[in-house]
Amino acid sequence: MMNGLVHAHSGLRWIVLALLVALVWQAWQKGRSGAEYTEADRKLNLYTLIAVHIQLLLGLALYFHSDKVNFDSSSWSVSVTRFFTLEHSLMMLIAIVLITIGYSKAKKAADSAARWRTTLRYNLIALLLILVAIPWPFRGFGSGWF
Ligand code: HEM
């Protein structure tokens, strides 16, 4: 059960990253060229939002079951424990909040230019945060590529 959750959470990262990169690229390109923000564009934003919210649910389930999470602060001298208890979870949470606010603000924005600007700003910051907070295998937290 735990193993399945870790793999689902780990694998979904690639879908989240692919959607976010596509969204940021699209917002940058179409914003620059003055293109209209269409219903199809809003859908890409929506799919990204749904993917990160599923990732949040999986992350929360892991948070309360993983042996890499420990609420006793004396165990935070172990970097893996501190990383998953605090750094990973908090940074990912902030990124997901930014993506959610960005979606809602873009929907309410007055015109296409403002929608592209909002989409680009919020999602670019979220993408950078996520890239920093992922336990890539080379960071030594014992996590894999999938
Ligand atoms: C876009 C958001 C997120 C991404 C891309 C992401 C990605 C990952 C990845 C790649 C791993 C390593 C899995 C492995 O060992 O192979 C991981 C582990 C973990 N994540 Fe996330 N995560 C996200 C959000 C969250 C959130 C919001 C939480 C908690 C509230 C969370 C809690 C955890 C925990 C506890 C682990 C360690 C699981 C274990 O090995 O026992 N994650 N995450």
Side-chain angles (χ1 to χ4, degrees):
M1 165 80 176
M2 190 60 194
N3 204 20
L5 269 181
V6 173
H7 276 100
H9 189 67
S10 185
L12 186 58
R13 111 187 70 176
W14 296 110
I15 295 173
V16 166
L17 285 176
L19 284 166
L20 259 180
V21 168
L23 186 62
V24 166
W25 176 256
Q26 183 200 52
W28 183 51
Q29 288 296 314
K30 292 199 174 178
R32 246 172 27 141
S33 68
E36 188 155 341
Y37 186 96
T38 64
E39 181 56 19
D41 298 324
R42 190 190 66 81
K43 286 225 170 99
L44 177 60
N45 207 337
L46 178 66
Y47 296 147
T48 309
L49 182 74
I50 292 170
V52 294
H53 280 208
I54 295 173
Q55 191 67 324
L56 170 65
L57 291 180
L58 292 172
L60 283 174
L62 287 173
Y63 198 74
F64 295 104
H65 293 99
S66 172
D67 52 14
K68 294 176 185 165
V69 173
N70 193 323
F71 300 109
D72 175 5
S73 57
S74 63
S75 69
W76 295 349
S77 54
V78 180
S79 74
V80 175
T81 308
R82 197 189 56 236
F83 178 77
F84 285 106
T85 308
L86 283 180
E87 296 157 12
H88 174 76
S89 310
L90 195 64
M91 280 200 273
M92 291 307 195
L93 213 59
I94 295 170
I96 294 168
V97 168
L98 286 174
I99 291 167
T100 309
I101 296 174
Y103 175 77
S104 151
K105 280 191 174 251
K107 226 170 90 173
K108 290 183 201 143
D111 54 31
S112 288
R115 289 200 172 119
W116 289 129
R117 216 172 28 245
T118 307
T119 305
L120 179 61
R121 278 185 195 156
Y122 281 86
N123 289 285
L124 180 59
I125 298 171
L127 174 61
L128 295 176
L129 266 177
I130 289 174
L131 285 173
V132 170
I134 286 179
W136 298 107
F138 50 81
R139 293 192 61 187
F141 296 120
S143 301
W145 289 105
F146 291 99

